[in-house]
Amino acid sequence: MSIPKENVDAAKLAVTLCNLVSDFNPVKNISKIAPEWNVTWSGGEPSDPNYCMLVYLNGTDTYGLVFRGSVMEKGVFTKWDEISDWVLEDLNDEMVYWPYHYGVLKFDIADMPCVGAGSLIALTNILKMVDKPTRAPLLTALTSLQNMGFKLIITGHSLGGNLAKVYTSYLFRALPQLAQEKVRLCTFAAPASGNQAFMDDLNKKIGGNQVHYQNKYDIVPGFPTAEGIAAAGLLYNPSPAADKIIAVDGTDITLKAVLMDLGNKFGKLGYKEPNKEYIQQFPEVLDPKWLDSKNIGDDFGSWKGQVEYQHQLFNYAGYLGVTLNPIQQPSQVSMPLEMN
C-alpha cells in the first residue's frame, strides 16, 4: 500500500529520534546521535520508564516528540514465562476507560473507548513530568508552540510507539484548536494501544496523517491482539518454527499451541491494531544466525534470538533507507526494549 510522501518523510526523521532516546543520555549525546536536532524539553531522567523528549529540527519549523518504552534488562525474552510476564505485567493490558475521547458518552457500554491499563498509567506519568531547566510540563511546552505555525512529528518504537498513539489522542483533546494537518504520527513496531472504539476516535483526530511500520517477522506489533499473538505461533519457517518447539518441559505442548491459547484469552479484551490503510508492513530477512544451518535446531533459544533480531530498530531504519548513528549504553545501565 502506498504511503503519502509526507508521512514517509516524517518517518525518516522519526526513526532517528527513536534511536536517540535509546541512548543512556540523549540530551548530552544528541549532537553525536542526531546532530540536526536540538532539545526543547526533556521529561525526567533518561533511565526512567516512559522517558520522552521534545526536539526541533535546526533551521525549520518542525518539532519531534519522541517516546521511549519501558526499560528492562538486556534481552526481550529469556524463556516462555518472560514472554507471558511481558504481555501480562509490563504491558498491563487489562482494558480501562479512555477519558480523552471526543464527544460525550453516546455509545453502548460495549463500545466504550478503552486502552490498556499500563498505557493510561504511563500517560499519567508523562503528564506529571517536568523539564528540569524550566519546570514546565510537556503540555505547557506544546501549548506555547501551538500558535507559532509549528509542525509536530510524534513517534516511538515498540512500547514507545504505543505511548505515541496514546499521547496523540490525548493531545488533540487537550488542545482542541490544534490543526490536524500540523501533526504526523509515526510509530515503529508499536503494540496495540486499545480497542476499536479507541482507534476510531484516534482516526477522527489524526486522520491520514499517521503511519505505523511493522516488520511482519516482528511479533511485537501484533501484541496483544488475538490475531497478532496467534500469528506469532506461525513463525518462523522453516526454522526455528514455533510449532516444533516444546514450550512446557515434560509435555508435548508446543510454543504455537501456547501462543494460540494466549491469543484466545486476549481476544476477549478486544485489542485492535490501526486500520490497514495506515499500516506499512514489510518483510525483513531472517537472521541466519538463528536458522538451523548451524544445527541450532528448533528450540526456544533460537526462536527468542530471531524474535529479538526482528524487533531491532535498525531493521525499520534500513527499510526507510536511514543509517542510524551509534548510541551509548554502558553495561550497568538497563537496556530499553528497543535495543540497538
Side-chain angles (χ1 to χ4, degrees):
M1 182 175 296
S2 178
I3 298 296
K5 182 179 183 300
E6 295 82 359
N7 289 352
V8 176
D9 291 343
K12 290 180 178 180
L13 294 173
V15 75
T16 66
L17 297 181
C18 293
N19 185 52
L20 171 64
V21 294
S22 296
D23 189 81
F24 81 100
N25 195 335
V27 173
K28 177 181 177 181
N29 295 325
I30 189 171
S31 62
K32 300 176 182 177
I33 301 169
E36 66 274 24
W37 297 88
N38 275 300
V39 179
T40 296
W41 182 96
S42 175
E45 298 295 334
S47 59
D48 292 343
N50 313 130
Y51 172 77
C52 60
M53 62 192 306
L54 180 65
V55 295
Y56 69 91
L57 187 61
N58 295 332
T60 74
D61 58 357
T62 298
Y63 287 75
L65 174 58
V66 55
F67 296 88
R68 191 186 66 206
S70 294
V71 175
M72 57 177 59
E73 294 302 320
K74 184 176 182 179
V76 181
F77 310 123
T78 58
K79 55 182 181 298
W80 164 247
D81 286 344
E82 292 195 8
I83 294 182
S84 179
D85 288 345
W86 177 72
V87 175
L88 299 176
E89 295 177 12
D90 193 64
L91 282 175
N92 195 356
D93 282 308
E94 187 63 38
M95 284 284 196
V96 295
Y97 170 61
W98 177 243
Y100 302 108
H101 61 85
Y102 275 160
V104 296
L105 292 177
K106 293 183 179 179
F107 39 76
D108 294 334
I109 194 71
D111 297 324
M112 178 182 293
C114 295
V115 296
S119 298
L120 194 58
I121 292 170
L123 175 65
T124 302
N125 290 335
I126 291 166
L127 298 183
K128 292 163 59 179
M129 289 179 180
V130 295
D131 180 60
K132 273 190 174 181
T134 65
R135 304 304 298 169
L138 177 57
L139 185 61
T140 298
L142 291 171
T143 301
S144 67
L145 298 176
Q146 185 176 3
N147 298 320
M148 295 170 55
F150 75 102
K151 299 175 183 177
L152 179 65
I153 300 170
I154 304 178
T155 189
H157 172 244
S158 193
L159 294 179
N162 170 42
L163 294 181
K165 288 182 284 184
V166 169
Y167 194 86
T168 298
S169 181
Y170 160 79
L171 184 62
F172 275 97
R173 186 60 190 266
L175 299 179
Q177 302 305 314
L178 182 62
Q180 185 181 90
E181 63 271 16
K182 292 292 186 181
V183 182
R184 301 280 168 180
L185 171 61
C186 305
T187 73
F188 306 94
S193 302
N195 63 3
Q196 188 62 57
F198 169 81
M199 289 309 307
D200 290 344
D201 180 66
L202 178 61
N203 292 339
K204 291 177 183 177
K205 294 168 177 172
I206 191 67
N209 295 339
Q210 59 179 312
V211 57
H212 307 280
Y213 286 89
Q214 299 181 352
N215 170 7
K216 77 172 188 176
Y217 292 146
D218 184 352
I219 72 171
V220 174
F223 275 60
T225 69
E227 299 82 3
I229 297 174
L234 303 177
L235 299 176
Y236 297 96
N237 289 312
S239 176
D243 62 350
K244 299 177 184 177
I245 298 170
I246 299 300
V248 182
D249 293 340
T251 74
D252 59 356
I253 300 175
T254 65
L255 178 57
K256 176 182 177 180
V258 172
L259 287 167
M260 291 292 183
D261 181 62
L262 186 62
N264 290 333
K265 293 177 180 177
F266 268 88
K268 299 175 182 178
L269 295 177
Y271 277 89
K272 294 296 180 183
E273 293 187 56
N275 291 9
K276 291 187 182 299
E277 62 263 36
Y278 305 135
I279 293 176
Q280 181 67 23
Q281 191 177 78
F282 64 96
E284 186 51 61
V285 177
L286 291 174
D287 185 352
K289 180 179 179 181
W290 305 111
L291 299 180
D292 199 23
S293 59
K294 297 182 180 179
N295 297 316
I296 295 174
D298 293 297
D299 60 76
F300 187 82
S302 302
W303 191 85
K304 172 187 74 75
Q306 195 67 254
V307 165
E308 291 183 349
Y309 173 83
Q310 297 299 335
H311 189 57
Q312 300 291 323
L313 183 62
F314 62 71
N315 289 313
Y316 292 84
Y319 176 73
L320 290 165
V322 175
T323 300
L324 301 177
N325 290 327
I327 61 171
Q328 301 181 43
Q329 289 180 321
S331 59
Q332 69 270 22
V333 176
S334 295
M335 303 282 280
L337 183 62
E338 49 272 25
M339 299 170 298
N340 288 314

